[in-house]
Amino acid sequence: MRTNVVIVGAGPSGLLLGQLLFKAGVDAIVVERQTPDYVLSRIRAGVLEQVTLDVLAQAGVDKRLPRDGLPHTGFDLLFKGERHRIDLKGLTGGKKVMVYGQTEVTRDLMEAREAAGLTTHYEAQSVQIHDFDSDHPSVTFIKDGVTQTIQCDFIAGCDGFHGVCRASVPRQSIQEFEKVYPFGWLGVLADTPPVHEELIYVNSPRGFALCSQRSRTRSRYYLQVPLTDHLDQWPDEAFWDELRNRLDPEARDHLVTGPSIEKSIAPLRSFVAEPMRFGTLFLAGDAAHIVPPTGAKGLNLAATDVKFLSDALIEACIEKSHAGIDHYSKRCLARIWRAERFSWWFTSLMHRFPDQGEIGQKLQEAELDYLVHSEAGSRTVAENYVGLPLNFGE
Ligand code: RFL
Ligand code: PHB
């Protein structure tokens, strides 16, 4: 087998890259370790920036978004028992975000790929990448007991944090920056109406909480929990009781509970690998960086990596110019570090840390108080939350 680009990983990064390349006439094959159902069962992101919506439109997968997406022009910060609205639209000259689940984005991309008759090898075992220090790299994998080889011009490592691509780079060629937070997020998905029409980010002495949603009838809630907690310690009733304890009286009254349809604990991490290009191998999305989910930036960063990578690969394959691929890493990393900073800062402000003590809580509350009462402070939060423009700082 031969193609222009082998894309390792059929998460949102890999599928979106495949679609953008297809639209431009560049051949690509996707190789994924899991089944399509497994990929769709991972409940993750929920908030899309305008920049991401623009890339989805370019890929031609924005048909369901106007009907099923929920535009949000603000969110609430809850601290000291009171809620304060951050008016995203008013503070950013009209910008907003769209609540639309990662599952739906992935489904739209999978359907588009299938409709176009493009090749995806699901359930590929022992995926390995070869010779990416040369201009004749290849990818091998085992499918149904048979070893397959794909020769290509470029490899796109879109295989997430635990993937094989970053791990295949020689240690001396890559630098990794990492911070692991001393807590996780326990998430619950339930077919209940959301407690509020907008998201509520909660700083409480009992720990962080987030009230999010997927639709008018489906809610997504998160609680900060110790990393040592297990799911069996959190039957639904315990989850709802603890969430109520972290909410304000009005939200507590409005909260509709019900059986969870998904429950999981995710660790929180800040991570960046530099650079993101190694010869003919390019990393994109969670394969290259992780943000704690507090700022809702992970999927959005993945979408902009993919936008930059698709432009660069199209230029290389069609126009035979390497200018784009030479700038790929630097261009992405500038944007990534800004989102890493915002996500780390917002996480630090909203969560309870084991060693913060009473003074730490008071200082967080004082900072939140400043942010919601200062227009400059609120605008800083808003402009980062809606996402900085693609060419910011260039
Ligand atoms: P993914 O989604 O991890 O997909 C990688 C794919 O690669 C496959 N794979 C392999 N395939 C072949 N061979 C191998 N050796 C392979 N190893 C792995 C995997 O099976 C998988 O299918 O990475 P991708 O595509 O880069 O997408 C990144 C996003 O998933 C991630 O950034 C977001 O989910 C982060 N995130 C959020 N981002 C936002 O923008 N807004 C949010 O509101 C938001 N909320 C969240 C989040 C992530 C969360 N968790 C669970 C970490 C909330 C949570 C709780
Ligand atoms: C979600 O709905 O899953 C979600 C929303 C906002 C975040 C993180 C996760 O900051």
Side-chain angles (χ1 to χ4, degrees):
M1 264 183 285
R2 206 198 134 74
T3 187
N4 290 131
V5 184
V6 175
I7 301 171
V8 184
S13 299
L15 292 172
L16 182 57
L17 179 62
Q19 201 59 23
L20 291 169
L21 293 179
F22 162 68
K23 288 261 162 190
V26 174
D27 279 345
I29 295 178
V30 178
V31 177
E32 163 65 48
R33 184 165 63 176
Q34 306 287 355
T35 64
D37 283 349
Y38 183 92
V39 172
L40 282 176
S41 71
R42 290 188 295 228
I43 308 295
R44 289 183 172 178
V47 177
L48 306 182
E49 298 172 5
Q50 186 59 47
V51 166
T52 304
L53 297 173
D54 294 343
V55 185
L56 293 174
Q58 187 191 335
V61 287
D62 57 340
K63 305 292 173 288
R64 278 204 303 140
L65 264 157
R67 196 192 66 203
D68 296 344
L70 300 170
H72 280 212
T73 57
F75 66 82
D76 279 0
L77 285 172
L78 163 55
F79 60 97
K80 287 199 288 181
E82 279 179 28
R83 267 195 264 160
H84 305 263
R85 184 166 188 267
I86 298 290
D87 175 10
L88 294 173
K89 192 172 173 194
L91 289 160
T92 61
K95 294 188 184 160
K96 53 186 178 333
V97 292
M98 184 77 94
V99 169
Y100 189 71
Q102 178 167 330
T103 313
E104 304 312 312
V105 174
T106 310
R107 196 192 313 280
D108 294 344
L109 286 162
M110 276 181 178
E111 284 176 9
R113 197 164 173 82
E114 206 176 310
L118 303 171
T119 311
T120 312
H121 296 282
Y122 283 101
E123 297 179 81
Q125 304 305 308
S126 307
V127 177
Q128 288 182 13
I129 61 173
H130 310 274
D131 301 324
F132 52 86
D133 56 351
S134 75
D135 55 8
H136 46 82
S138 63
V139 174
T140 56
F141 60 95
I142 301 173
K143 180 80 199 274
D144 300 325
V146 180
T147 300
Q148 314 240 24
T149 303
I150 315 177
Q151 311 285 349
C152 55
D153 302 315
F154 300 105
I155 300 173
C158 300
D159 49 349
F161 184 66
H162 300 288
V164 67
C165 290
R166 194 183 71 250
S168 303
V169 174
R171 290 295 87 193
Q172 69 275 15
S173 307
I174 192 166
Q175 199 177 358
E176 299 184 341
F177 303 87
E178 183 172 42
K179 179 181 179 63
V180 178
Y181 297 84
F183 40 73
W185 276 20
L186 167 64
V188 154
L189 190 69
D191 276 330
T192 55
V195 64
H196 183 56
E197 62 266 24
E198 296 185 333
L199 271 60
I200 311 176
Y201 287 84
V202 186
N203 172 301
S204 122
R206 301 180 68 94
F208 171 80
L210 171 60
C211 305
S212 184
Q213 53 191 263
R214 290 291 176 272
S215 70
R216 293 190 202 290
T217 55
R218 183 166 284 188
S219 309
R220 179 71 167 158
Y221 296 104
Y222 296 99
L223 290 177
Q224 173 188 349
V225 295
L227 271 179
T228 44
D229 275 15
H230 294 286
L231 283 180
D232 51 20
Q233 287 166 260
W234 287 99
D236 289 357
E237 270 322 305
F239 182 91
W240 297 122
D241 284 348
E242 184 55 32
L243 179 61
R244 268 189 215 99
N245 279 328
R246 296 185 192 186
L247 293 178
D248 59 301
E250 194 193 335
R252 209 173 286 151
D253 284 349
H254 280 94
L255 181 69
V256 182
T257 63
S260 62
I261 51 174
E262 194 266 357
K263 196 185 281 166
S264 51
I265 297 180
L268 266 65
R269 185 191 307 273
S270 297
F271 174 88
V272 181
E274 291 190 353
M276 291 167 62
R277 177 204 177 176
F278 311 88
T280 41
L281 167 67
F282 299 83
L283 303 180
D286 279 15
H289 44 77
I290 297 286
V291 285
T294 324
K297 290 280 165 260
L299 177 59
N300 292 296
L301 272 186
T304 42
D305 287 359
V306 164
K307 162 76 184 143
F308 292 151
L309 183 55
S310 63
D311 287 350
L313 291 175
I314 292 163
E315 219 177 285
C317 292
I318 309 252
E319 294 161 30
K320 308 291 175 208
S321 157
H322 277 207
I325 57 178
D326 288 344
H327 283 108
Y328 170 69
S329 186
K330 191 160 172 248
R331 211 173 168 204
C332 286
L333 283 163
R335 188 173 176 82
I336 289 160
W337 278 112
R338 289 186 185 112
E340 290 281 349
R341 184 210 64 82
F342 175 66
S343 305
W344 156 79
W345 168 79
F346 200 28
T347 302
S348 308
L349 179 65
M350 297 305 291
H351 290 74
R352 186 158 186 95
F353 286 72
D355 58 354
Q356 80 179 45
E358 288 310 305
I359 187 167
Q361 181 67 33
K362 286 282 189 192
L363 290 169
Q364 283 180 338
E365 288 168 359
E367 185 168 356
L368 283 160
D369 190 56
Y370 162 70
L371 290 173
V372 300
H373 290 106
S374 150
E375 195 181 323
S378 298
R379 181 166 291 136
T380 297
V381 176
E383 80 170 350
N384 280 279
Y385 193 85
V386 299
L388 298 171
L390 261 191
N391 56 357
F392 185 86
E394 276 179 12

